Amino acid sequence: MPTDKIRVVVVGQTPPPFHGQGIMIERIVNAQFKDVSIYHVRMAFSGTMDQVGRFQIGKLFHLVGVILHIVYARIVHRGQVLYYPPAGPNRVPMYRDIIILLATRWMFA
């Protein structure tokens, strides 16, 4: 009897810039899984390593876009699981994570 694949919404930055978490998220997004479908919502808050962890006004607009893309993936692709790896200990990314998760986490099992 065939079963539906688990639909996972993966939220995270993929290169550039090239850093450990971004590279690993890219591997997850590009992997082929037998029983899992991946829907990627790319975070592109930083184009270079110098921008990582720093506040820029344009990042606020991107924040709204990320939240809307997560909602879209939940509704249109019927995402069941939200995979959201948190940022490091810097304040700006921590506040970003809190805002995104408060706005979207409740929609997923």
Side-chain angles (χ1 to χ4, degrees), residues 47-58:
T48 66
M49 287 304 293
D50 293 337
Q51 296 172 340
V52 173
R54 298 182 186 267
F55 176 79
Q56 293 174 324
I57 197 74

Side-chain angles (χ1 to χ4, degrees), residues 6-10 28-31 33 36-40:
I6 298 170
R7 295 173 298 277
V8 179
V9 178
V10 175
I28 292 170
V29 169
N30 292 331
F33 300 101
V36 178
S37 293
I38 301 290
Y39 302 96
H40 181 222

Side-chain angles (χ1 to χ4, degrees), residues 9-11 39-43 45 59-79 82 84 96 99-108:
V9 178
V10 175
V11 181
Y39 302 96
H40 181 222
V41 176
R42 184 170 190 270
M43 297 169 79
F45 289 101
K59 290 181 178 185
L60 291 177
F61 296 107
H62 184 63
L63 175 70
V64 173
V66 167
I67 291 170
L68 292 174
H69 279 95
I70 295 169
V71 172
Y72 178 86
R74 171 65 180 109
I75 295 169
V76 173
H77 297 296
R78 296 179 305 145
L82 178 66
Y84 190 96
R96 175 202 66 211
I99 291 167
I100 291 172
L101 289 172
L102 283 175
T104 61
R105 174 62 187 97
W106 60 273
M107 293 186 288
F108 295 87

Side-chain angles (χ1 to χ4, degrees), residues 19-36:
H19 55 80
Q21 188 178 72
I23 292 168
M24 295 311 295
I25 291 172
E26 184 176 53
R27 285 183 151 184
I28 292 170
V29 169
N30 292 331
Q32 297 296 317
F33 300 101
K34 179 182 174 188
D35 297 321
V36 178

